[in-house]
Amino acid sequence: MLRIKYEDMVKEFQRVLLARGFSEKNAADAAIVFAQNSLDGIYTHGLNRFPRFVSYVDKGEIKADVAAECVMSMGAIERWDGHRGFGPLNARQAMARACELAKQYGIGLVALGNNNHWMRGGSYGWQAADEGCIGICWSNTMPNMPAWGGKDRKIGNNPIIFAVPKSNGDHVVVDCAVSQFSYGKIEEAKLKGIQLPVPGGYDEDGNLTTDPAAIEKTWRVLPMGYWKGSGISVLLDLISTVLTNANSVQKIGTFGDEVGLSQIMIAIDPGKFNDADTTDRIVEELEADIKSSIPAVEDGKVFYPGEIEINTRRDNLANGIPVIEEKWEEVLNL
């Protein structure tokens, strides 16, 4: 397996973005977003997603020179317009503002409409936690999943993120789509030639399958929790559309590509209730209880949410980021 230094990956991404009209700062910040995703083991939204993102820039669907702006402000709640700019930078700006509001009011919410794909939603949970805040955020998507009981794609696999901070940076973070597997995970399994660990969608005969290639033929992916995930998807879309007054999953589906998304950033400052030591103690007691679980399989391990990413980040910093060689070559040739 080819492994690439984090710094080298950042430089290559930055080179490509500078050639497409990004400013020095935006190219550097955007390159770091993609490289950090791969650094944490979220390869589907790092290197593997970068060429597709560049294709959107080349088609003019992502604008390199625009930034999100606040269009309404009401105390702890604001509405922002992303102006179809670079999704991750707009999302980082919106979460940073939510954290500022949380430090002032105890809670802050930024409803970010008309943004583009934010890549890895977990980035903004980690960002909030790095600021000492509890983070809650989600995005809608294009219609890419059937509502429960249906066959055609009407709802989104709308990712939702929860994060709780620890003062040493080893935060507790959940980042998940409301499909059983994100499209990126299905694509990654296909590229690696492996089966999904549990059924993730339906084949052409309408049977549940673990075969990513069979799911790609139908794109009839499975909501997590079956009808529960379907219902959660609908409500996340409704809340984000109401608060942004921007684009719903249904409307995004008329655009041709996954652009113009609606996203919600919520930050809560636990420091308004507890000092940092108290919050750390609460988190560490929970982690210790989870880690004391009896493994379901011999020599198995039980992880708390976010622990695998922390371990992967340390390994990849020390030894380089593993890459799929054809994807790395694709970036080198851009």
Side-chain angles (χ1 to χ4, degrees):
M1 172 72 73
L2 179 65
R3 298 188 79 131
I4 303 297
K5 290 182 179 179
Y6 169 75
E7 295 81 5
D8 292 339
M9 187 172 286
V10 170
K11 288 177 183 176
E12 280 301 319
F13 290 161
Q14 188 173 0
R15 173 188 64 80
V16 173
L17 296 175
L18 284 170
R20 283 161 173 79
F22 280 71
S23 68
E24 287 279 351
K25 182 180 187 306
N26 283 353
D29 289 347
I32 288 169
V33 166
F34 281 100
Q36 284 184 338
N37 291 347
S38 279
L39 184 68
D40 284 2
I42 316 299
Y43 309 112
T44 55
H45 291 74
L47 171 66
N48 295 0
R49 184 64 67 94
F50 186 75
R52 187 189 308 175
F53 157 71
V54 170
S55 74
Y56 284 3
V57 176
D58 289 343
K59 288 189 286 186
E61 292 178 339
I62 294 175
K63 300 171 185 175
D65 56 349
V66 300
E69 65 171 338
C70 179
V71 294
M72 293 180 71
S73 180
M74 297 154 284
I77 302 175
E78 294 184 352
R79 176 184 285 173
W80 286 45
D81 187 333
H83 295 301
R84 298 275 184 102
F86 179 46
L89 294 185
N90 284 346
R92 283 187 63 82
Q93 187 179 356
M95 181 55 88
R97 179 55 180 159
C99 290
E100 287 179 0
L101 293 169
K103 296 296 175 65
Q104 182 177 357
Y105 297 104
I107 187 169
L109 183 151
V110 173
L112 174 63
N114 201 31
N115 195 27
N116 284 318
H117 199 301
W118 65 2
M119 296 303 139
R120 172 197 176 198
S123 300
Y124 318 109
W126 288 95
Q127 177 188 355
D130 283 342
E131 292 294 325
C133 289
I134 293 168
I136 305 170
C137 54
W138 68 88
S139 174
N140 64 5
T141 69
M142 66 190 301
N144 55 20
M145 184 168 67
W148 186 250
K151 294 180 71 174
D152 53 335
R153 291 175 282 173
K154 293 287 188 181
I155 63 177
N157 64 344
N158 308 330
I160 185 164
I161 295 89
F162 301 92
V164 175
K166 283 179 67 181
S167 57
N168 67 357
D170 290 351
H171 313 310
V172 181
V173 182
V174 165
D175 173 12
C176 62
V178 294
S179 56
Q180 183 63 50
F181 296 97
S182 69
Y183 274 67
K185 285 293 185 184
I186 293 170
E187 181 183 26
E188 182 181 35
K190 181 185 174 184
L191 287 170
K192 291 181 176 178
I194 60 175
Q195 296 286 297
L196 299 170
V198 296
Y202 297 87
D203 62 20
E204 292 175 304
D205 297 323
N207 299 315
L208 285 172
T209 180
T210 60
D211 182 355
I215 297 169
E216 278 197 350
K217 289 180 181 178
T218 65
W219 283 130
R220 188 180 166 196
V221 298
L222 185 69
M224 70 172 186
Y226 300 94
W227 52 88
K228 296 177 184 179
S230 177
I232 290 171
S233 168
V234 172
L235 267 296
L236 291 175
D237 180 38
L238 272 176
I239 295 167
S240 60
T241 306
V242 167
L243 293 183
T244 61
N245 193 28
N247 301 319
S248 65
V249 166
Q250 185 275 329
K251 188 173 181 181
I252 293 165
T254 67
F255 296 156
D257 281 315
E258 196 170 43
V259 294
L261 308 183
S262 300
Q263 295 155 355
I264 302 297
M265 308 290 179
I266 301 171
I268 303 167
D269 181 8
K272 301 295 186 187
F273 298 105
N274 308 321
D275 59 30
D277 287 344
T278 300
T279 297
D280 283 350
R281 176 183 55 77
I282 293 169
V283 174
E284 287 165 1
E285 286 176 354
L286 180 140
E287 289 173 348
D289 187 52
I290 291 172
K291 298 294 286 181
S292 71
S293 299
I294 300 170
V297 297
E298 189 176 355
D299 297 325
K301 292 184 178 180
V302 179
F303 298 95
Y304 64 83
E307 184 179 5
I308 291 175
E309 287 88 345
I310 292 167
N311 294 341
T312 301
R313 183 186 309 152
R314 289 170 178 158
D315 177 63
N316 285 348
L317 276 173
N319 301 306
I321 300 168
V323 300
I324 297 171
E325 292 192 34
E326 54 264 37
K327 287 288 184 182
W328 181 240
E329 286 295 325
E330 190 176 352
V331 170
L332 293 179
N333 290 327
L334 284 171

